[in-house]
PDB file of all heavy atoms in Angstrom:
ATOM      1  N   PHE A 141     -17.830   9.127 -23.737  1.00 96.00           N
ATOM      2  CA  PHE A 141     -18.803  10.074 -23.351  1.00 96.00           C
ATOM      3  C   PHE A 141     -20.183   9.386 -22.997  1.00 96.00           C
ATOM      4  O   PHE A 141     -20.712   9.662 -21.921  1.00 96.00           O
ATOM      5  CB  PHE A 141     -19.051  11.015 -24.451  1.00 96.00           C
ATOM      6  CG  PHE A 141     -20.205  12.000 -24.129  1.00 96.00           C
ATOM      7  CD1 PHE A 141     -20.058  12.997 -23.188  1.00 96.00           C
ATOM      8  CD2 PHE A 141     -21.413  12.107 -24.978  1.00 96.00           C
ATOM      9  CE1 PHE A 141     -21.037  13.925 -22.837  1.00 96.00           C
ATOM     10  CE2 PHE A 141     -22.443  12.969 -24.566  1.00 96.00           C
ATOM     11  CZ  PHE A 141     -22.254  13.882 -23.603  1.00 96.00           C
ATOM     12  N   LEU A 142     -20.643   8.502 -23.768  1.00 96.00           N
ATOM     13  CA  LEU A 142     -21.923   7.781 -23.387  1.00 96.00           C
ATOM     14  C   LEU A 142     -21.803   6.817 -22.282  1.00 96.00           C
ATOM     15  O   LEU A 142     -22.622   6.910 -21.366  1.00 96.00           O
ATOM     16  CB  LEU A 142     -22.448   7.087 -24.735  1.00 96.00           C
ATOM     17  CG  LEU A 142     -22.932   7.847 -25.890  1.00 96.00           C
ATOM     18  CD1 LEU A 142     -23.403   6.933 -27.044  1.00 96.00           C
ATOM     19  CD2 LEU A 142     -24.024   8.800 -25.454  1.00 96.00           C
ATOM     20  N   PRO A 143     -20.653   6.061 -22.144  1.00 96.00           N
ATOM     21  CA  PRO A 143     -20.495   5.298 -20.930  1.00 96.00           C
ATOM     22  C   PRO A 143     -20.473   6.126 -19.562  1.00 96.00           C
ATOM     23  O   PRO A 143     -21.002   5.795 -18.510  1.00 96.00           O
ATOM     24  CB  PRO A 143     -19.073   4.586 -21.120  1.00 96.00           C
ATOM     25  CG  PRO A 143     -19.114   4.402 -22.660  1.00 96.00           C
ATOM     26  CD  PRO A 143     -19.716   5.686 -23.140  1.00 96.00           C
ATOM     27  N   ALA A 144     -19.856   7.254 -19.789  1.00 96.00           N
ATOM     28  CA  ALA A 144     -19.729   8.167 -18.659  1.00 96.00           C
ATOM     29  C   ALA A 144     -21.100   8.768 -18.226  1.00 96.00           C
ATOM     30  O   ALA A 144     -21.459   8.817 -17.041  1.00 96.00           O
ATOM     31  CB  ALA A 144     -18.798   9.394 -18.876  1.00 96.00           C
ATOM     32  N   LEU A 145     -22.006   9.064 -19.179  1.00 96.00           N
ATOM     33  CA  LEU A 145     -23.303   9.426 -18.824  1.00 96.00           C
ATOM     34  C   LEU A 145     -24.033   8.271 -18.222  1.00 96.00           C
ATOM     35  O   LEU A 145     -24.877   8.538 -17.199  1.00 96.00           O
ATOM     36  CB  LEU A 145     -24.072   9.772 -20.121  1.00 96.00           C
ATOM     37  CG  LEU A 145     -23.610  11.099 -20.803  1.00 96.00           C
ATOM     38  CD1 LEU A 145     -24.506  11.372 -22.096  1.00 96.00           C
ATOM     39  CD2 LEU A 145     -23.808  12.286 -19.915  1.00 96.00           C
ATOM     40  N   GLY A 146     -23.862   6.990 -18.658  1.00 96.00           N
ATOM     41  CA  GLY A 146     -24.451   5.901 -17.997  1.00 96.00           C
ATOM     42  C   GLY A 146     -23.932   5.710 -16.492  1.00 96.00           C
ATOM     43  O   GLY A 146     -24.692   5.436 -15.680  1.00 96.00           O
ATOM     44  N   LEU A 147     -22.696   6.056 -16.398  1.00 97.00           N
ATOM     45  CA  LEU A 147     -22.061   5.965 -14.971  1.00 97.00           C
ATOM     46  C   LEU A 147     -22.749   6.937 -13.962  1.00 97.00           C
ATOM     47  O   LEU A 147     -23.057   6.604 -12.916  1.00 97.00           O
ATOM     48  CB  LEU A 147     -20.551   6.253 -14.966  1.00 97.00           C
ATOM     49  CG  LEU A 147     -19.780   6.331 -13.802  1.00 97.00           C
ATOM     50  CD1 LEU A 147     -18.319   5.761 -13.981  1.00 97.00           C
ATOM     51  CD2 LEU A 147     -19.623   7.699 -13.099  1.00 97.00           C
ATOM     52  N   ILE A 148     -22.985   8.256 -14.648  1.00 97.00           N
ATOM     53  CA  ILE A 148     -23.626   9.202 -13.793  1.00 97.00           C
ATOM     54  C   ILE A 148     -25.061   8.697 -13.369  1.00 97.00           C
ATOM     55  O   ILE A 148     -25.512   8.798 -12.197  1.00 97.00           O
ATOM     56  CB  ILE A 148     -23.769  10.553 -14.555  1.00 97.00           C
ATOM     57  CG1 ILE A 148     -22.313  11.057 -14.632  1.00 97.00           C
ATOM     58  CG2 ILE A 148     -24.626  11.543 -13.749  1.00 97.00           C
ATOM     59  CD1 ILE A 148     -22.356  12.287 -15.623  1.00 97.00           C
ATOM     60  N   VAL A 149     -25.739   8.155 -14.391  1.00 96.00           N
ATOM     61  CA  VAL A 149     -27.163   7.664 -14.095  1.00 96.00           C
ATOM     62  C   VAL A 149     -27.066   6.506 -13.097  1.00 96.00           C
ATOM     63  O   VAL A 149     -27.962   6.423 -12.112  1.00 96.00           O
ATOM     64  CB  VAL A 149     -27.850   7.139 -15.424  1.00 96.00           C
ATOM     65  CG1 VAL A 149     -29.134   6.558 -15.070  1.00 96.00           C
ATOM     66  CG2 VAL A 149     -28.011   8.373 -16.370  1.00 96.00           C
ATOM     67  N   VAL A 150     -26.263   5.561 -13.246  1.00 97.00           N
ATOM     68  CA  VAL A 150     -26.125   4.374 -12.365  1.00 97.00           C
ATOM     69  C   VAL A 150     -25.848   4.872 -10.954  1.00 97.00           C
ATOM     70  O   VAL A 150     -26.373   4.348  -9.879  1.00 97.00           O
ATOM     71  CB  VAL A 150     -25.095   3.305 -12.913  1.00 97.00           C
ATOM     72  CG1 VAL A 150     -24.891   2.291 -11.772  1.00 97.00           C
ATOM     73  CG2 VAL A 150     -25.514   2.746 -14.138  1.00 97.00           C
ATOM     74  N   VAL A 151     -24.803   5.828 -10.790  1.00 96.00           N
ATOM     75  CA  VAL A 151     -24.431   6.335  -9.418  1.00 96.00           C
ATOM     76  C   VAL A 151     -25.611   7.032  -8.781  1.00 96.00           C
ATOM     77  O   VAL A 151     -25.847   6.817  -7.621  1.00 96.00           O
ATOM     78  CB  VAL A 151     -23.307   7.326  -9.592  1.00 96.00           C
ATOM     79  CG1 VAL A 151     -23.140   8.012  -8.203  1.00 96.00           C
ATOM     80  CG2 VAL A 151     -22.068   6.573  -9.813  1.00 96.00           C
ATOM     81  N   PHE A 152     -26.407   7.816  -9.640  1.00 96.00           N
ATOM     82  CA  PHE A 152     -27.696   8.544  -9.116  1.00 96.00           C
ATOM     83  C   PHE A 152     -28.538   7.442  -8.615  1.00 96.00           C
ATOM     84  O   PHE A 152     -29.240   7.744  -7.525  1.00 96.00           O
ATOM     85  CB  PHE A 152     -28.231   9.370 -10.207  1.00 96.00           C
ATOM     86  CG  PHE A 152     -29.533  10.022  -9.712  1.00 96.00           C
ATOM     87  CD1 PHE A 152     -29.473  11.163  -9.009  1.00 96.00           C
ATOM     88  CD2 PHE A 152     -30.727   9.580 -10.241  1.00 96.00           C
ATOM     89  CE1 PHE A 152     -30.751  11.765  -8.497  1.00 96.00           C
ATOM     90  CE2 PHE A 152     -31.981  10.133  -9.827  1.00 96.00           C
ATOM     91  CZ  PHE A 152     -31.867  11.177  -8.960  1.00 96.00           C
ATOM     92  N   VAL A 153     -28.856   6.403  -9.363  1.00 96.00           N
ATOM     93  CA  VAL A 153     -29.882   5.308  -8.950  1.00 96.00           C
ATOM     94  C   VAL A 153     -29.305   4.688  -7.738  1.00 96.00           C
ATOM     95  O   VAL A 153     -30.194   4.495  -6.758  1.00 96.00           O
ATOM     96  CB  VAL A 153     -29.933   4.272  -9.916  1.00 96.00           C
ATOM     97  CG1 VAL A 153     -30.883   3.061  -9.574  1.00 96.00           C
ATOM     98  CG2 VAL A 153     -30.690   4.953 -11.236  1.00 96.00           C
ATOM     99  N   ILE A 154     -28.057   4.364  -7.537  1.00 96.00           N
ATOM    100  CA  ILE A 154     -27.599   3.636  -6.404  1.00 96.00           C
ATOM    101  C   ILE A 154     -27.602   4.627  -5.167  1.00 96.00           C
ATOM    102  O   ILE A 154     -28.079   4.046  -4.203  1.00 96.00           O
ATOM    103  CB  ILE A 154     -26.137   3.268  -6.595  1.00 96.00           C
ATOM    104  CG1 ILE A 154     -26.011   2.195  -7.686  1.00 96.00           C
ATOM    105  CG2 ILE A 154     -25.365   2.701  -5.290  1.00 96.00           C
ATOM    106  CD1 ILE A 154     -24.656   1.896  -8.028  1.00 96.00           C
ATOM    107  N   ALA A 155     -27.252   5.865  -5.322  1.00 96.00           N
ATOM    108  CA  ALA A 155     -27.384   6.697  -4.222  1.00 96.00           C
ATOM    109  C   ALA A 155     -28.753   7.008  -3.741  1.00 96.00           C
ATOM    110  O   ALA A 155     -29.129   7.016  -2.539  1.00 96.00           O
ATOM    111  CB  ALA A 155     -26.730   8.063  -4.491  1.00 96.00           C
ATOM    112  N   SER A 156     -29.676   7.205  -4.734  1.00 96.00           N
ATOM    113  CA  SER A 156     -31.141   7.366  -4.417  1.00 96.00           C
ATOM    114  C   SER A 156     -31.745   6.132  -3.746  1.00 96.00           C
ATOM    115  O   SER A 156     -32.397   6.320  -2.647  1.00 96.00           O
ATOM    116  CB  SER A 156     -31.882   7.596  -5.608  1.00 96.00           C
ATOM    117  OG  SER A 156     -31.349   8.803  -6.344  1.00 96.00           O
ATOM    118  N   ALA A 157     -31.279   4.958  -4.172  1.00 96.00           N
ATOM    119  CA  ALA A 157     -31.813   3.705  -3.585  1.00 96.00           C
ATOM    120  C   ALA A 157     -31.333   3.576  -2.097  1.00 96.00           C
ATOM    121  O   ALA A 157     -32.104   3.236  -1.106  1.00 96.00           O
ATOM    122  CB  ALA A 157     -31.458   2.535  -4.383  1.00 96.00           C
ATOM    123  N   LEU A 158     -30.141   3.927  -1.886  1.00 95.00           N
ATOM    124  CA  LEU A 158     -29.544   3.752  -0.471  1.00 95.00           C
ATOM    125  C   LEU A 158     -30.143   4.829   0.465  1.00 95.00           C
ATOM    126  O   LEU A 158     -30.433   4.546   1.583  1.00 95.00           O
ATOM    127  CB  LEU A 158     -28.029   3.903  -0.622  1.00 95.00           C
ATOM    128  CG  LEU A 158     -27.269   2.688  -1.165  1.00 95.00           C
ATOM    129  CD1 LEU A 158     -25.746   2.961  -1.164  1.00 95.00           C
ATOM    130  CD2 LEU A 158     -27.545   1.428  -0.372  1.00 95.00           C
ATOM    131  N   LEU A 159     -30.297   6.108  -0.133  1.00 94.00           N
ATOM    132  CA  LEU A 159     -30.957   7.184   0.705  1.00 94.00           C
ATOM    133  C   LEU A 159     -32.338   6.807   1.025  1.00 94.00           C
ATOM    134  O   LEU A 159     -32.922   7.080   2.186  1.00 94.00           O
ATOM    135  CB  LEU A 159     -30.738   8.466  -0.104  1.00 94.00           C
ATOM    136  CG  LEU A 159     -29.349   9.115   0.010  1.00 94.00           C
ATOM    137  CD1 LEU A 159     -29.324  10.292  -0.876  1.00 94.00           C
ATOM    138  CD2 LEU A 159     -28.923   9.375   1.450  1.00 94.00           C
ATOM    139  N   LEU A 160     -33.025   6.305   0.159  1.00 95.00           N
ATOM    140  CA  LEU A 160     -34.528   5.940   0.217  1.00 95.00           C
ATOM    141  C   LEU A 160     -34.608   4.876   1.400  1.00 95.00           C
ATOM    142  O   LEU A 160     -35.500   4.849   2.222  1.00 95.00           O
ATOM    143  CB  LEU A 160     -35.126   5.520  -1.003  1.00 95.00           C
ATOM    144  CG  LEU A 160     -36.642   5.333  -0.917  1.00 95.00           C
ATOM    145  CD1 LEU A 160     -37.308   6.630  -0.677  1.00 95.00           C
ATOM    146  CD2 LEU A 160     -37.120   4.709  -2.305  1.00 95.00           C
ATOM    147  N   ALA A 161     -33.655   3.779   1.222  1.00 95.00           N
ATOM    148  CA  ALA A 161     -33.638   2.665   2.220  1.00 95.00           C
ATOM    149  C   ALA A 161     -33.432   3.355   3.551  1.00 95.00           C
ATOM    150  O   ALA A 161     -33.931   2.903   4.719  1.00 95.00           O
ATOM    151  CB  ALA A 161     -32.660   1.709   1.806  1.00 95.00           C
ATOM    152  N   ALA A 162     -32.326   4.161   3.623  1.00 94.00           N
ATOM    153  CA  ALA A 162     -31.986   4.848   4.950  1.00 94.00           C
ATOM    154  C   ALA A 162     -33.149   5.645   5.573  1.00 94.00           C
ATOM    155  O   ALA A 162     -33.370   5.603   6.777  1.00 94.00           O
ATOM    156  CB  ALA A 162     -30.879   5.841   4.743  1.00 94.00           C
ATOM    157  N   TYR A 163     -33.922   6.396   4.692  1.00 92.00           N
ATOM    158  CA  TYR A 163     -35.009   7.143   5.096  1.00 92.00           C
ATOM    159  C   TYR A 163     -36.125   6.178   5.764  1.00 92.00           C
ATOM    160  O   TYR A 163     -36.577   6.484   6.881  1.00 92.00           O
ATOM    161  CB  TYR A 163     -35.653   7.929   4.052  1.00 92.00           C
ATOM    162  CG  TYR A 163     -37.003   8.509   4.296  1.00 92.00           C
ATOM    163  CD1 TYR A 163     -37.099   9.702   5.073  1.00 92.00           C
ATOM    164  CD2 TYR A 163     -38.271   7.861   3.930  1.00 92.00           C
ATOM    165  CE1 TYR A 163     -38.241  10.291   5.442  1.00 92.00           C
ATOM    166  CE2 TYR A 163     -39.464   8.495   4.172  1.00 92.00           C
ATOM    167  CZ  TYR A 163     -39.396   9.581   5.030  1.00 92.00           C
ATOM    168  OH  TYR A 163     -40.675  10.325   5.301  1.00 92.00           O
ATOM    169  N   PHE A 164     -36.451   5.046   5.100  1.00 93.00           N
ATOM    170  CA  PHE A 164     -37.494   4.244   5.608  1.00 93.00           C
ATOM    171  C   PHE A 164     -36.983   3.541   6.995  1.00 93.00           C
ATOM    172  O   PHE A 164     -37.738   3.472   7.939  1.00 93.00           O
ATOM    173  CB  PHE A 164     -37.978   3.210   4.666  1.00 93.00           C
ATOM    174  CG  PHE A 164     -38.913   3.679   3.556  1.00 93.00           C
ATOM    175  CD1 PHE A 164     -38.353   3.690   2.217  1.00 93.00           C
ATOM    176  CD2 PHE A 164     -40.058   4.186   3.804  1.00 93.00           C
ATOM    177  CE1 PHE A 164     -39.100   4.204   1.268  1.00 93.00           C
ATOM    178  CE2 PHE A 164     -40.862   4.728   2.850  1.00 93.00           C
ATOM    179  CZ  PHE A 164     -40.434   4.667   1.447  1.00 93.00           C
ATOM    180  N   ALA A 165     -35.640   3.323   6.924  1.00 93.00           N
ATOM    181  CA  ALA A 165     -35.049   2.579   8.197  1.00 93.00           C
ATOM    182  C   ALA A 165     -35.096   3.673   9.265  1.00 93.00           C
ATOM    183  O   ALA A 165     -35.460   3.243  10.438  1.00 93.00           O
ATOM    184  CB  ALA A 165     -33.678   2.232   7.912  1.00 93.00           C
ATOM    185  N   GLY A 166     -34.750   4.844   9.021  1.00 91.00           N
ATOM    186  CA  GLY A 166     -34.765   5.902   9.944  1.00 91.00           C
ATOM    187  C   GLY A 166     -36.151   6.235  10.553  1.00 91.00           C
ATOM    188  O   GLY A 166     -36.296   6.388  11.822  1.00 91.00           O
ATOM    189  N   MET A 167     -37.200   6.272   9.609  1.00 90.00           N
ATOM    190  CA  MET A 167     -38.507   6.523  10.094  1.00 90.00           C
ATOM    191  C   MET A 167     -38.969   5.451  11.083  1.00 90.00           C
ATOM    192  O   MET A 167     -39.703   5.656  11.992  1.00 90.00           O
ATOM    193  CB  MET A 167     -39.449   6.689   8.970  1.00 90.00           C
ATOM    194  CG  MET A 167     -39.154   7.958   8.167  1.00 90.00           C
ATOM    195  SD  MET A 167     -39.427   9.501   9.092  1.00 90.00           S
ATOM    196  CE  MET A 167     -41.162   9.459   9.374  1.00 90.00           C
ATOM    197  N   LYS A 168     -38.548   4.234  10.819  1.00 90.00           N
ATOM    198  CA  LYS A 168     -39.000   3.075  11.591  1.00 90.00           C
ATOM    199  C   LYS A 168     -38.145   2.968  12.940  1.00 90.00           C
ATOM    200  O   LYS A 168     -38.722   2.812  13.968  1.00 90.00           O
ATOM    201  CB  LYS A 168     -38.677   1.786  10.792  1.00 90.00           C
ATOM    202  CG  LYS A 168     -39.282   0.530  11.567  1.00 90.00           C
ATOM    203  CD  LYS A 168     -39.170  -0.700  10.669  1.00 90.00           C
ATOM    204  CE  LYS A 168     -39.817  -1.925  11.399  1.00 90.00           C
ATOM    205  NZ  LYS A 168     -41.218  -1.790  11.680  1.00 90.00           N
ATOM    206  N   LEU A 169     -36.844   3.160  12.943  1.00 88.00           N
ATOM    207  CA  LEU A 169     -36.036   2.943  14.057  1.00 88.00           C
ATOM    208  C   LEU A 169     -35.802   4.256  14.879  1.00 88.00           C
ATOM    209  O   LEU A 169     -35.619   4.214  16.049  1.00 88.00           O
ATOM    210  CB  LEU A 169     -34.633   2.488  13.633  1.00 88.00           C
ATOM    211  CG  LEU A 169     -34.667   1.176  12.805  1.00 88.00           C
ATOM    212  CD1 LEU A 169     -33.225   0.790  12.389  1.00 88.00           C
ATOM    213  CD2 LEU A 169     -35.143   0.112  13.751  1.00 88.00           C
ATOM    214  N   ILE A 170     -35.772   5.444  14.247  1.00 87.00           N
ATOM    215  CA  ILE A 170     -35.537   6.768  14.919  1.00 87.00           C
ATOM    216  C   ILE A 170     -36.888   7.478  15.111  1.00 87.00           C
ATOM    217  O   ILE A 170     -37.186   7.961  16.194  1.00 87.00           O
ATOM    218  CB  ILE A 170     -34.453   7.627  14.123  1.00 87.00           C
ATOM    219  CG1 ILE A 170     -33.185   6.749  13.938  1.00 87.00           C
ATOM    220  CG2 ILE A 170     -34.266   8.893  14.877  1.00 87.00           C
ATOM    221  CD1 ILE A 170     -32.189   7.476  13.026  1.00 87.00           C
TER     222      ILE A 170
END
Side-chain angles (χ1 to χ4, degrees):
F141 178 65
L142 291 179
L145 289 180
L147 179 146
I148 294 171
V149 173
V150 172
V151 169
F152 175 78
V153 171
I154 294 170
S156 299
L158 289 176
L159 285 173
L160 189 62
Y163 170 77
F164 285 117
M167 291 299 293
K168 184 176 181 62
L169 300 176
I170 302 173

